[in-house]
Amino acid sequence: SADTVVIGKVAPGKMDAAKEALEAQRAATQQSFEQYLPGPLEVAKNGQVVTSGDYIMLILSSDNDTAIDLFQAGVQG
């Protein structure tokens, strides 16, 4: 399965580095499924890195929108 969730609080001034690291993880996951199953490959291709304030999330799932909504609601309070 390519399903992945990574959530973290980012230190001041480190958001760009955190985004790069999570994008690299998404790309590595995509690459690992390119020779195998089409379902997990699509999940990896559609993965997203999302930020809200000092928080960041990498989501690879078949329902990214719901996960993003929950993430944003959770870090607002």
Side-chain angles (χ1 to χ4, degrees):
S1 169
D3 291 1
T4 304
V5 177
V6 176
I7 299 174
K9 185 171 183 180
V10 180
K14 302 292 184 180
M15 187 60 78
D16 287 341
K19 285 180 187 178
E20 288 178 21
L22 292 182
E23 283 293 347
Q25 178 59 45
R26 188 200 58 75
T29 302
Q30 178 180 335
Q31 186 177 19
S32 71
F33 283 100
E34 285 178 347
Q35 303 298 321
Y36 300 103
L37 304 171
L41 176 58
E42 284 304 308
V43 167
K45 283 183 178 179
N46 294 323
Q48 295 181 47
V49 174
V50 181
T51 62
S52 182
D54 294 337
Y55 292 88
I56 192 166
M57 175 177 74
L58 167 65
I59 182 68
L60 307 175
S61 83
S62 58
D63 192 0
N64 289 345
D65 292 340
T66 298
I68 291 168
D69 289 345
L70 291 170
F71 166 73
Q72 290 174 335
V75 297
Q76 286 179 2

